[in-house]
Amino acid sequence: MDQEELQKNIALYYSKLPPGVQKVFSEMAWLKTLEDIAQKYGLNEDERKTLGTETTLVLLGIIHLVEYEENLTREIGLS
């Protein structure tokens, strides 16, 4: 999926979230958790971007949790 298509999908799925969930997602407190994970595992910048992208996709329901886990294991070596 190219970057433009990815952004369109994110916007589409975000718009389908209930308002309360949109608020939680928009506050982006979950990004602190991602940063903690990235530091814990010593992820480089590309790996951090992958973690952020994949987490965004699973939070929005674009990909299934199993696919998320498989992608993180395959792409950045997280178990």
Side-chain angles (χ1 to χ4, degrees):
M1 183 178 317
D2 68 22
Q3 194 65 23
E4 185 176 329
E5 183 181 351
L6 178 62
Q7 289 175 345
K8 286 179 183 177
N9 279 336
I10 288 171
L12 174 65
Y13 279 80
Y14 177 82
S15 70
K16 293 179 179 183
L17 293 174
V21 177
Q22 285 181 352
K23 182 178 185 288
V24 170
F25 187 84
S26 296
E27 289 173 352
M28 299 195 177
W30 53 274
L31 290 175
K32 171 66 172 121
T33 303
L34 288 185
E35 184 56 35
D36 292 345
I37 292 168
Q39 287 180 354
K40 178 179 179 178
Y41 290 98
L43 302 182
N44 65 38
E45 188 61 32
D46 286 338
E47 292 168 332
R48 289 172 188 246
K49 287 179 184 177
T50 298
L51 178 62
T53 299
E54 295 298 323
T55 301
T56 300
L57 295 176
V58 78
L59 288 174
L60 292 173
I62 296 172
I63 63 172
H64 190 275
L65 186 56
V66 171
E67 185 178 355
Y68 173 72
E69 292 173 356
E70 290 170 351
N71 291 346
L72 292 182
T73 300
R74 181 182 63 253
E75 294 182 30
I76 59 179
L78 288 181
S79 56

